[in-house]
Amino acid sequence: MKPPKLSSASVLLALSLGASAGAQQLRANEGPGVKLGEGLVAHPGVAVETAYDTNLFYVDTDEADPLQAAPYLRLVPNFAVATLPPQRGGGHESLQFRLGALLGLRRYLTDEPGTQNLNSFDAKGDLGLTINPKGAVAFGVYDRFARAVQSIGDTSEPNTRDTNTAGVDLRFQPGGRALQTTLGYSYDLSIFEEQAPGAINSNSAYHRGSLAVRWQFLPKTAWLLEGEGRKYQKDAKPVFFDSTHARAYLGMTGLLTPRFSTTLKAGYGFANYEGPREDFSNLIAVTSFSWHLRPEGKFTLAYERDFADSTFSNWYLDDYVYAQFEYTVAKSVILGIKPGYRNRKFGGIPPFDINNDVNPAGDGDQVTYLDLERTDHLLELDSSVDFRVADWLFFGVAYLLQTNTNDFATQSVTGEGIGPVQATESYVKHIVTGRVEVAY
């Protein structure tokens, strides 16, 4: 079977959607750990996961090339050293510390051309230190690293992305801590070790400053004031530009009644780009309403509206609506389902054409974007059944459906001439997963 050849725009789409086959999410609650000494424990853990992915490369379902489907096996060992957890009477120390690491070793169980090149290892690391966490003034420092291999683009060159976030927090919480004010700063770095042919160099970095004020005016309800600013630096000039982002929210969170809770945040965001293409300026929001079916479950309806930088254009704006239902049967079987819809609008798309001196593909080819407006319609359905033997030990199965449709048109230009117009870049993707996890 011949591996699929994706256009440059296909590669950029998958990157902008943040699609990462290597994302690791631990689902077991961490256990009491193994005591190493006075005030310090080790948390060993491991997860074994097997899955079947029907569309590894996000191939358009209408294209002649067959979908690339494959099963894979993943081993996820993890280890952390930390101060005492609540199970051992911790949480009251004047200094809290944690150092952890996780590896994801992935192997595809197929001989299909190209899929073996996606065999890889992902990694995560985190370091956190908080001084005087319960006091009137608390100080924290942290560093988080992640390495993820993205199964998109040309089959022989997967995208491997390294990200690192280092930051500090200063929190003021006088008296009974009803009023909390937190100042934060972080530096974020994103580097691609290697990218698929046709992908633009998407390396970037940004400085982030933040302010969060929380006033708990009722025992379980608080007013919120939040704001942040970011200064981005991009490597792919003049394709993409340095930019300045800011967003601010005002809202509330907490219980309305003993069984109903809500989060309501409304705000405004903008992004200014040091280039000729479109800036962003619009309303943003986070809203959710939850009904607590005590003690067995919870039903949530939510709407979120936010923006972010895109590796396909200047920015995208997400309108995300979802429902989530979780229910526990016999205190050990947890059922979950989460359907959702995203309306994703891209802005500031670069007007490449066949005579442009800028080569967006980076490999001798060019791509023409026939539209400068684009809206994607993404449907998601995430469902799972977990069996918890203990808080730190579980096994479960999950099903994930992802679809994307749009009418964005592209055209490839190579040394052999002008290729056909690709009128759509849509896909359907199913993933079925089985997993056993220990996080002691």
Side-chain angles (χ1 to χ4, degrees):
M1 184 180 295
K2 183 180 178 181
K5 174 65 175 179
L6 300 188
S7 70
S8 301
S10 299
V11 175
L12 293 174
L13 166 64
L15 283 172
S16 70
L17 296 179
S20 173
Q24 305 291 340
Q25 297 294 333
L26 294 181
R27 290 156 62 187
N29 296 324
E30 195 169 64
V34 179
K35 198 166 185 180
L36 299 178
E38 189 64 30
L40 202 63
V41 298
H43 293 286
V46 65
V48 179
E49 177 181 291
T50 182
Y52 185 80
D53 188 335
T54 65
N55 193 347
L56 289 174
F57 306 102
Y58 299 84
V59 177
D60 192 329
T61 52
D62 294 330
E63 290 183 358
D65 286 332
L67 302 182
Q68 291 290 299
Y72 64 82
L73 181 67
R74 184 157 58 193
L75 179 66
V76 189
N78 54 90
F79 185 82
V81 176
T83 47
L84 292 179
Q87 299 97 315
R88 291 186 178 272
H92 307 287
E93 300 87 355
S94 60
L95 186 148
Q96 294 180 352
F97 167 81
R98 180 181 179 88
L99 175 63
L102 175 152
L103 286 177
L105 308 173
R106 181 178 56 192
R107 174 76 180 182
Y108 283 90
L109 308 177
T110 177
D111 294 328
E112 287 291 339
T115 58
Q116 293 298 310
N117 295 315
L118 294 175
N119 293 334
S120 60
F121 75 91
D122 310 307
K124 283 188 176 182
D126 66 274
L127 168 65
L129 176 67
T130 303
I131 300 173
N132 198 30
K134 302 293 185 179
V137 180
F139 175 76
V141 59
Y142 60 89
D143 188 88
R144 305 185 188 106
F145 169 81
R147 181 184 193 267
V149 178
Q150 297 174 304
S151 56
I152 57 177
D154 190 282
T155 58
S156 63
E157 295 291 343
N159 285 270
T160 303
R161 184 181 187 181
D162 298 329
T163 58
N164 195 84
T165 301
V168 295
D169 288 321
L170 183 62
R171 185 169 69 246
F172 302 93
Q173 46 192 14
R177 294 187 294 162
L179 179 64
Q180 295 183 356
T181 302
T182 304
L183 299 174
Y185 167 79
S186 66
Y187 179 71
D188 292 63
L189 186 64
S190 175
I191 296 177
F192 286 85
E193 297 179 18
E194 54 184 353
Q195 294 187 197
I200 294 174
N201 177 3
S202 302
N203 295 344
S204 65
Y206 66 85
H207 299 269
R208 176 182 179 269
S210 63
L211 166 68
V213 180
R214 178 187 178 97
W215 174 37
Q216 192 165 326
F217 65 97
L218 292 175
K220 295 185 178 180
T221 309
W223 291 109
L224 304 173
L225 173 64
E226 300 171 353
E228 69 163 31
R230 301 184 184 188
K231 178 63 177 178
Y232 280 86
Q233 299 169 310
K234 305 291 182 63
D235 280 357
K237 304 183 187 73
V239 179
F240 298 115
F241 305 102
D242 294 349
S243 59
T244 301
H245 295 210
R247 52 168 55 80
Y249 290 102
L250 178 64
M252 63 167 290
T253 185
L255 290 177
L256 298 178
T257 73
R259 291 205 171 194
F260 287 91
S261 63
T262 186
T263 295
L264 298 173
K265 298 195 300 183
Y268 190 79
F270 71 85
N272 293 328
Y273 295 84
E274 298 177 6
R277 299 200 302 274
E278 182 182 3
D279 292 335
F280 174 85
S281 179
N282 215 316
L283 298 175
I284 54 178
V286 177
T287 64
S288 68
F289 298 89
S290 296
W291 179 28
H292 301 264
L293 307 172
R294 296 181 177 176
E296 297 87 1
K298 183 172 74 170
F299 176 73
T300 299
L301 285 175
Y303 167 71
E304 299 175 3
R305 178 181 175 88
D306 202 3
F307 71 99
D309 253 14
S310 167
T311 54
F312 176 77
S313 60
N314 275 5
W315 52 265
Y316 66 81
L317 173 66
D318 248 2
D319 287 291
Y320 179 37
V321 181
Y322 70 89
Q324 186 170 15
F325 179 68
E326 297 177 340
Y327 196 82
T328 302
V329 180
K331 298 184 179 180
S332 59
V333 180
I334 302 174
L335 310 177
I337 186 168
K338 183 182 178 181
Y341 166 72
R342 295 180 187 270
N343 182 284
R344 177 166 290 179
K345 177 184 177 182
F346 292 85
I349 297 175
F352 295 141
D353 58 44
I354 59 175
N355 297 313
N356 200 312
D357 291 334
V358 176
N359 179 1
D363 59 358
D365 297 346
Q366 287 185 327
V367 63
T368 300
Y369 302 126
L370 303 183
D371 299 315
L372 297 184
E373 294 183 357
R374 174 174 180 159
T375 300
D376 285 24
H377 304 276
L378 298 103
L379 291 175
E380 303 169 350
L381 175 62
D382 194 352
S383 59
S384 62
V385 180
D386 292 343
F387 302 88
R388 293 194 181 273
V389 181
D391 282 345
W392 49 271
L393 169 62
F394 94 96
F395 61 94
V397 293
Y399 167 73
L400 175 65
L401 166 68
Q402 296 177 324
T403 73
N404 178 42
T405 58
N406 64 74
D407 57 0
F408 189 71
T410 65
Q411 191 170 35
S412 297
V413 182
T414 70
E416 300 177 354
I418 299 177
V421 173
Q422 297 181 354
T424 181
E425 292 184 342
S426 305
Y427 64 83
V428 177
K429 185 181 182 75
H430 306 267
I431 303 177
V432 179
T433 306
R435 187 177 178 101
V436 179
E437 185 173 319
V438 176
Y440 192 77

